[in-house]
Every structure is written in structure tokens, then in C-alpha cells.
Amino acid sequence: MKRRFVNLERTDENIADQYPNVFDGLQKDAIQNAWDARATKKGKDWKTLIKYDSKQSVLVIEDFGTTGMNEEKWERYQGLWHTDKAEDSSAAGSRGQGKFLFHYFSRDKLVLTETIDEKGVYRFSYGTTGEYGEEKSLVDFVKEGQKLNHQGSRIWIIRVKDELKPGLIDSAGLANYISASWWEVIQNYDATILVDVDGQVTQVGL
């Protein structure tokens, strides 16, 4: 891994300020990413899981039945961390600026990303809005028994901000945001959206 210094330290905060509600914004961006990457047009076996572990202070967003990110999509996803692409709108990233909300939810702006593409290639990165660094404990956190093992993507938001924890513990509130945004997908496609708070799993309905 290389450390990449860039001038995007406050980007996550600036983007978060554009959302009337950051929890609603988080679920919209996370699920839109997964839905856009569905492996089949009808969303067969498509599923998104939003999981919060309050003891470890970790928020995980994982999708199933998606294509994952191949090399091209992976480079575009990482694009906003490269200073030479920061002003190039055509290289803004396959999943848009909304992904900076992931960094906003972390006290240290720290996000880990895993993906497995259609060829079975595994990719992993970790970093903040400001840099990619070497922190072996975080690599071990993912790779020792918890490594992604299916086609799709998984995002780890590490050390969630204290002021945002109550909103994540409110699984019913989060499920309501999801239902209001994604009821058509839930109703018309073979799609499953789950909210897991400390092992209590809720399937979002209409």
C-alpha cells in the first residue's frame, strides 16, 4: 500500500452538510451503489446488509448479487483520493462523491473497502480522506477470519463518531428511511435489504 497525500481533508464534512439528514443520505448512497452494481437486471439474489456493531464501534455495508468492482471500476472508485484527478469530473469515481459520507461517519475518517469481481479477483484498500497509510492491525482486522468471500463489495466504517451512534442504534428509524426510499425496488424486484444492529436483524418491508 502507498501513502497518498491529497487536499481533501474536509470533503466529507462539506458533502455531509448538503444532506438534510446524514442517516437518510448514508442509506440512499450505500443502497444506490449496490443496486447500480446488481449482477442481473431483475436483481436476482440481490441483497444489501447495513450492520452496526456498537461494541466495536464499526459500521459495515455489504452487498450480494452484485458484480463487485473490476480493475477499472476499482480505479474509478479510488479516483477521488488522487490529486491529479481531483479536478477531473470525468474521473470522479464510479460511485460518486456520496462515498465521502462513509468517511464522515468515522471518528478518524477511516474506511476499509473490499471487493470481489466477476473473475474472482479480490481487492482491498484502507485509508482516510487525506491519505492511505500502513496500519497492520486494520489489515488483520479484515483478513483474519472476516475476509470477504463472495462476489460483491463490503465497506467497513471504523470507529463511528459518538454523536452518530444513537442514530445507528435506532434500527427502526433507519429501516423507515430505507423503506421510504426503496419501496419500489422491494416491491417489484427480487431484492432484500437488511438492517443488523448488534445481532438483531430486521428485513426492511413496505
Side-chain angles (χ1 to χ4, degrees):
M1 303 294 292
K2 290 184 178 180
R3 181 166 294 186
R4 298 169 180 166
F5 293 97
V6 294
N7 54 359
L8 296 171
E9 284 289 355
R10 293 186 58 83
T11 302
D12 61 319
E13 297 172 26
N14 294 335
I15 290 174
D17 287 343
Q18 299 173 20
Y19 289 85
N21 183 295
V22 292
F23 299 98
D24 195 20
L26 179 77
Q27 65 83 16
K28 284 180 179 177
D29 281 314
I31 296 172
Q32 186 68 63
N33 293 344
W35 186 243
D36 288 345
R38 63 190 183 277
T40 65
K41 186 175 181 180
K42 293 186 177 181
K44 178 176 172 55
D45 299 324
W46 180 89
K47 181 171 69 175
T48 294
L49 169 67
I50 299 176
K51 181 178 180 179
Y52 176 56
D53 185 331
S54 63
K55 291 183 179 179
Q56 295 198 54
S57 191
V58 170
L59 176 63
V60 176
I61 301 165
E62 184 171 0
D63 58 55
F64 305 77
T66 64
T67 60
M69 286 183 271
N70 59 20
E71 184 176 1
E72 179 184 0
K73 290 180 179 179
W74 182 251
E75 287 301 317
R76 291 175 62 196
Y77 174 80
Q78 307 292 348
L80 285 175
W81 284 288
H82 294 264
T83 53
D84 60 343
K85 294 185 180 179
E87 297 180 359
D88 181 0
S89 60
S90 67
S94 62
R95 299 195 173 188
Q97 292 186 340
K99 63 174 170 263
F100 277 96
L101 272 185
F102 303 151
H103 292 277
Y104 176 78
F105 269 75
S106 169
R107 186 177 70 227
D108 305 313
K109 303 185 180 183
L110 185 58
V111 172
L112 291 67
T113 305
E114 299 178 272
T115 191
I116 295 178
D117 67 15
E118 293 173 297
K119 295 182 179 179
V121 177
Y122 175 84
R123 294 178 173 88
F124 169 73
S125 69
Y126 58 98
T128 70
T129 52
E131 65 184 7
Y132 281 11
E134 295 286 350
E135 190 170 348
K136 186 175 185 299
S137 62
L138 293 176
V139 179
D140 293 341
F141 180 80
V142 168
K143 291 193 173 182
E144 290 182 3
Q146 301 186 71
K147 182 177 175 180
L148 185 69
N149 60 5
H150 64 85
Q151 184 176 306
S153 299
R154 179 163 59 188
I155 293 168
W156 304 75
I157 300 171
I158 308 298
R159 293 189 280 273
V160 172
K161 292 177 180 176
D162 289 342
E163 63 268 28
L164 298 176
K165 292 178 180 179
L168 295 175
I169 291 174
D170 180 15
S171 58
L174 186 57
N176 283 337
Y177 287 133
I178 294 170
S179 181
S181 300
W182 298 100
W183 64 270
E184 289 181 286
V185 168
I186 295 170
Q187 177 175 275
N188 299 320
Y189 295 84
D190 182 19
T192 301
I193 303 173
L194 303 176
V195 175
D196 179 344
V197 176
D198 292 333
Q200 298 296 315
V201 181
T202 301
Q203 180 169 338
V204 179
L206 299 177

